[in-house]
Amino acid sequence: MLRPMRDGFPNRVQIVEVGTRDGFQSVNKWIPTSTKAATLKAMIAAGLRVFEATSFVSPRAVPQLRDGAELLAQLGKPEGVTLTALVPNLRGAEAAIAAGVDALVVFVSASESHNQKNLNRSRASSLAQIEAVCAHAAEAGARVQGAIATAFGCPFEGEVPVAEVVRIAQSLHAMGIRRLTLGDTTGMATPPLVQERVQALRAALPDLEIALHFHNTRGVGLANVMTGLAEGIWIYESSIAGLGGCPFAPGATGNICTEDLVYLLEECGIETGVDLEALCHVAREVEAALGTTLPGQVMKAGARLQTSAVDSVRTACG
C-alpha cells in the first residue's frame, strides 16, 4: 500500500531514463547494439516510458554511441514510448531526425571552460548551433528540448552564478525551447542550490517546463530530488543501476539510479507506473553484461518490505 503523499509534492512524476546514453557513453568496452536494444526493451517492459536513448555526436568523441541510428532502427516505434537523442550540432540533428527520434535534446554548459572541454567550442558558438538546430527542427516538424550542463557548479571554474544559468535559459527560451533540463554534470548540486535555481528560473521564465538531472557523485542525489519535489518539479532524469559520468569532466561519477529513484518516489506516495522488481532485474542484467559492480542500492537490498526466511540467516553466537 502506498504511503500518503506529502503536501506540496507533485501528483505524478515522469522519469527520463538516460542509461543507454549518459550511462553507456563512459563505458570503454564496446557494448553491442543488440545488448543496448535489449536493455531498452526490458526497461520498457518494466514500465518506463521516456528515454534519452542515444546521442548523435562525433564517433571520435564518443565511440560507444556511434550506433545511434542502428539502435533506433532495432527498437522501432514502441507504442506509448518517447525516444529522444542528444545532438550537439546541425549535423547531429539531421541524423537524429532521419533516424526517427521523437525529440532532439540540445545542450550547452553554464560555464565556458566546461563547454570548451565538452564540445570544443565556446558557449556563444554552441548557442548559435542550437539556434540553427531549432530552425531546422521547426521546418522538419521535430520537437527540441534543451539542457544546461554544469548548472550547479563547474569542475574547472567552481561556483556557477545563478544569473548565468538564467541568462542561458533565456537565450534558449528565445529560440522556442520550452522544456529545459538543469544538469548536475559532476554532482555539485545541493538542496539549497536546487531550490535557488528552480525558483530563479520560474521567476524569469514562468512558462518553462523544468527537468532535473542529478549525479550522485557526493551522495546527495536523492536529497536533491526531494528538494525538487518540494518545489513541484515532476521530471527527473536517471540511469539504470546508477551508470554514468561525463567523460569530459574530472571526478564525474554515476547518475542517480533509476531503481533507487523509483523506490523513493513510491515510498513517498507518488506512483511511477514502474515495476520495481522487474527494473531491479534489468539493473542486475546490465551489471552482469558490463562485468563490474554498479552503484545502485535497491537492486542489491530489495524493496523495504522484502523479507527473508529466518532460517536463511545465521544466528549470532556468544
Side-chain angles (χ1 to χ4, degrees):
M1 180 179 294
L2 289 173
R3 297 183 173 204
M5 189 178 72
R6 289 179 54 175
D7 290 343
F9 279 16
N11 293 317
R12 64 189 177 107
V13 162
Q14 181 182 97
I15 296 174
V16 181
E17 169 59 49
V18 301
T20 56
R21 198 283 299 171
D22 200 358
F24 285 166
Q25 73 175 3
S26 299
V27 177
N28 290 324
K29 76 170 186 177
W30 173 249
I31 302 168
T33 308
S34 58
T35 300
K36 296 170 184 170
T39 300
L40 283 164
K41 289 175 181 178
M43 291 191 288
I44 292 169
L48 292 172
R49 289 294 176 265
V50 185
F51 299 85
E52 191 175 278
T54 188
S55 67
F56 286 82
V57 299
S58 166
R60 294 190 303 276
V62 188
Q64 185 64 252
L65 302 183
R66 65 181 184 268
D67 60 346
E70 184 183 351
L71 174 61
L72 291 170
Q74 286 193 20
L75 287 173
K77 289 285 188 182
E79 186 177 355
V81 172
T82 299
L83 299 172
T84 73
L86 200 69
V87 299
N89 51 36
L90 184 56
R91 179 182 297 178
E94 291 170 341
I97 291 170
V101 299
D102 295 304
L104 310 174
V105 181
V106 294
F107 58 104
V108 62
S109 298
S111 71
E112 184 67 32
S113 53
H114 183 265
N115 206 77
Q116 291 283 359
K117 283 292 183 182
N118 197 39
L119 289 169
N120 197 27
R121 65 172 69 100
S122 68
R123 288 180 298 174
S125 176
S126 287
L127 288 170
Q129 284 279 347
I130 290 171
E131 189 169 22
V133 168
C134 288
H136 178 73
E139 292 178 0
R143 290 190 291 119
V144 181
Q145 300 167 188
I148 301 178
T150 63
F152 301 94
C154 172
F156 308 109
E157 298 176 21
E159 199 68 71
V160 171
V162 65
E164 274 302 285
V165 177
V166 172
R167 181 187 69 81
I168 293 171
Q170 288 172 325
S171 296
L172 297 174
H173 187 271
M175 298 174 198
I177 291 173
R178 294 295 180 269
R179 174 161 166 166
L180 182 66
T181 298
L182 295 183
D184 180 27
T185 310
T186 57
M188 296 174 74
T190 62
L193 287 174
V194 174
Q195 183 181 57
E196 173 197 52
R197 274 140 222 257
V198 167
Q199 291 183 358
L201 280 179
R202 283 215 173 113
L205 300 165
D207 65 334
L208 188 67
E209 189 172 60
I210 302 170
L212 295 174
H213 173 118
F214 295 124
H215 286 237
N216 201 41
T217 311
R218 292 170 175 83
V220 295
L222 292 183
N224 291 327
V225 169
M226 292 295 286
T227 302
L229 290 171
E231 291 295 321
I233 301 299
W234 65 281
I235 308 170
Y236 295 89
E237 298 184 356
S238 60
S239 179
I240 188 75
L243 276 166
C246 176
F248 307 108
T253 57
N255 298 51
I256 58 170
C257 172
T258 305
E259 317 88 75
D260 296 358
L261 175 61
V262 168
Y263 172 75
L264 173 70
L265 294 171
E266 294 280 355
E267 285 293 315
C268 288
I270 303 173
E271 293 191 54
T272 63
V274 177
D275 182 332
L276 181 58
E277 185 177 347
L279 195 62
C280 286
H281 177 74
V282 179
R284 290 189 289 268
E285 289 289 309
V286 170
E287 189 175 61
L290 298 183
T292 187
T293 300
L294 295 174
Q297 297 298 304
V298 176
M299 70 173 180
K300 300 179 180 72
R304 183 175 62 89
L305 295 180
Q306 179 174 308
T307 58
S308 301
V310 173
D311 291 343
S312 68
V313 179
R314 70 182 180 89
T315 301
C317 299

